Amino acid sequence: HGYDVVDPNTIEPDLGGEVGYRRLADAAATLGLGLILDHVPNHMGVGAENAWWWDVLAKGRASSFAGHFDIDWDATAGATPGRVLLPVLGRPYGDCLAAGELEVEATDDAFELHYFDQRFPLNVETLPDSTEALHELLERQSYRLAHWRLGSEALNYRRFFDIDGLIGVRVEDPAVFADCHRRLLELVAEGRVQGVRLDHIDGLADPTAYLERLDQALAKAADEHPKPPVWVEKILEGDEQLRSDWQIAGTTGYEVTDRLNRLFVAPSGAPILDALWRAIAGHRADLDGMLAAAKAVILSGSFAGELARLRLDATRLAAGDLRYRDLGAHSLEQALAAVIEAFPVYRTYLDAKPAT
């Protein structure tokens, strides 16, 4: 169903849906072939098509799906904690409001807020008859619409990288795991999945625990069928080794492809390209320096909000320790940025076990 998943338990209708998938799986089986299912556990696409997300926007913390998404409900979206910040507007909120771009539309049994082709649920008691009344109505909703540029600084939900349209899912919660993997496990039980490819395993809160839970669930679902092997999309930096305690068959092969691609590159071209780069870059021809500067730009721009939250966490932890209570928030943020910019691998796997 793609990477902007809106229902993890529905096979994409445009690709044939349930009927098409069964026909494909059964036809493959007659030829001695199997299917590897690409599963996306880390995130879902936000939008009106996502029923879980729609319910969260309509009911806020009271939604039965509020815990499915990685939302910081205590963070301030504007002036009021407890709301989800939605940076979807093409220009500042006040400008959109004044221009009449935010409209209340009636549906069969409710009212919705429309912003061009985007739709949002609306809890309304009386219809607004002025711009001021519409603003007051919107301030009572469980979400706050904002200019898209605010996303990198103030977003209060975990994203896929810096893509605001893909929200993190809390599959570390057993109930959320069950909700997100129901269809996958049913297909495994039917013998119509012979392998699983996991997207962006490093986005999860605890990849090791997730893979253990998935391995157990696959074994139980497979029953008399062979348990499908699992491959993970994993970026291995330099000489980094794949974790030996993961319940997987291997990676999807980025590191192998990187090496194979070198077979198609003529080494004799490297000095020519290097000389050209140095002629263009001039005094800036320092690859390590450029890499560090690029990381700093991304961290201070696209991930300014994430860095700010890390600073708050570090400040809180330092305040509770007599050795570090005199460290200021600015110093801690500088230290965090330095560590992130110099980090040698994609992510840590710190848990209850001793760190490597």
Side-chain angles (χ1 to χ4, degrees):
H1 36 41
Y3 297 100
D4 50 350
V5 184
V6 295
D7 182 354
N9 298 304
T10 298
I11 295 177
E12 174 58 58
D14 290 342
L15 297 179
E18 301 280 339
V19 174
Y21 182 87
R22 281 189 168 82
R23 289 177 58 194
L24 175 63
D26 294 345
T30 64
L31 300 173
L33 300 174
L35 297 182
I36 297 175
L37 194 80
D38 188 358
H39 188 68
V40 184
N42 176 66
H43 58 265
M44 293 179 70
V46 301
E49 299 83 5
N50 187 333
W52 295 358
W53 177 244
W54 185 271
D55 196 72
V56 169
L57 295 186
K59 302 174 183 175
R61 276 177 163 167
S63 169
S64 56
F65 299 104
H68 280 53
F69 301 110
D70 203 349
I71 301 171
D72 183 358
W73 290 101
D74 294 324
T76 300
T80 311
R83 303 173 71 190
V84 181
L85 183 73
L86 303 181
V88 298
L89 303 178
R91 48 181 172 166
Y93 168 78
D95 294 344
C96 294
L97 191 67
E101 295 172 353
L102 303 174
E103 301 177 330
V104 177
E105 300 285 345
T107 63
D108 292 339
D109 55 359
F111 289 94
E112 297 177 353
L113 179 69
H114 287 199
Y115 175 65
F116 295 101
D117 60 343
Q118 298 191 66
R119 301 184 295 116
F120 309 92
L122 203 57
N123 293 312
V124 56
E125 297 153 2
T126 58
L127 292 177
D129 56 5
S130 66
T131 300
E132 293 75 16
L134 176 57
H135 169 64
E136 292 176 3
L137 173 63
L138 295 181
E139 289 293 276
R140 296 195 295 271
Q141 305 305 307
S142 297
Y143 55 86
R144 178 203 157 190
L145 302 184
H147 190 201
W148 65 270
R149 290 185 180 277
L150 188 60
S152 62
E153 294 185 46
L155 203 69
N156 60 337
Y157 60 81
R158 179 171 62 85
R159 306 171 288 176
F160 174 74
F161 292 111
D162 61 347
I163 304 174
D164 299 341
L166 298 176
I167 186 172
V169 178
R170 299 183 61 252
V171 288
E172 64 271 19
D173 183 314
V176 178
F177 178 94
D179 278 351
C180 292
H181 293 74
R182 185 172 62 254
R183 196 73 196 95
L184 166 63
L185 297 176
E186 288 173 353
L187 292 171
V188 170
E190 295 173 10
R192 288 188 166 95
V193 172
Q194 284 69 48
V196 178
R197 183 264 192 194
L198 294 174
D199 177 65
H200 195 50
I201 190 69
D202 278 334
L204 305 182
D206 190 342
T208 306
Y210 168 81
L211 290 170
E212 291 175 355
R213 178 173 287 131
L214 179 63
D215 183 69
Q216 295 169 4
L218 290 173
K220 182 179 179 180
D223 197 13
E224 73 272 12
H225 302 291
K227 184 180 71 172
V230 173
W231 293 274
V232 296
E233 182 205 25
K234 164 66 184 159
I235 296 173
L236 294 170
E237 293 279 0
D239 296 325
E240 181 186 5
Q241 298 297 308
L242 187 64
R243 287 180 63 102
S244 60
D245 57 346
W246 280 6
Q247 303 295 317
I248 57 174
T251 73
T252 52
Y254 289 166
E255 67 284 351
V256 176
T257 305
D258 176 57
R259 287 159 175 75
L260 291 177
N261 276 342
R262 298 177 195 179
L263 294 173
F264 304 100
V265 178
S268 58
I272 301 172
L273 290 174
D274 186 65
L276 177 62
W277 172 60
R278 294 184 183 281
I280 295 173
H283 69 280
R284 295 182 294 110
D286 171 14
L287 189 60
D288 291 336
M290 290 180 71
L291 180 60
K295 287 183 176 182
V297 168
I298 295 297
L299 188 59
S300 63
S302 299
F303 296 104
E306 283 80 1
L307 181 59
R309 279 194 288 278
L310 284 176
R311 181 196 67 220
L312 291 174
D313 286 342
T315 304
R316 175 177 52 81
L317 290 169
D321 192 306
L322 297 181
R323 296 168 297 174
Y324 305 118
R325 63 187 299 182
D326 292 339
L327 288 174
H330 178 67
S331 297
L332 287 168
E333 180 169 323
Q334 286 184 306
L336 283 165
V339 169
I340 294 169
E341 289 164 19
F343 213 68
V345 292
Y346 191 71
R347 66 159 284 174
T348 66
Y349 298 99
L350 298 177
D351 51 28
K353 302 174 185 177
T356 61

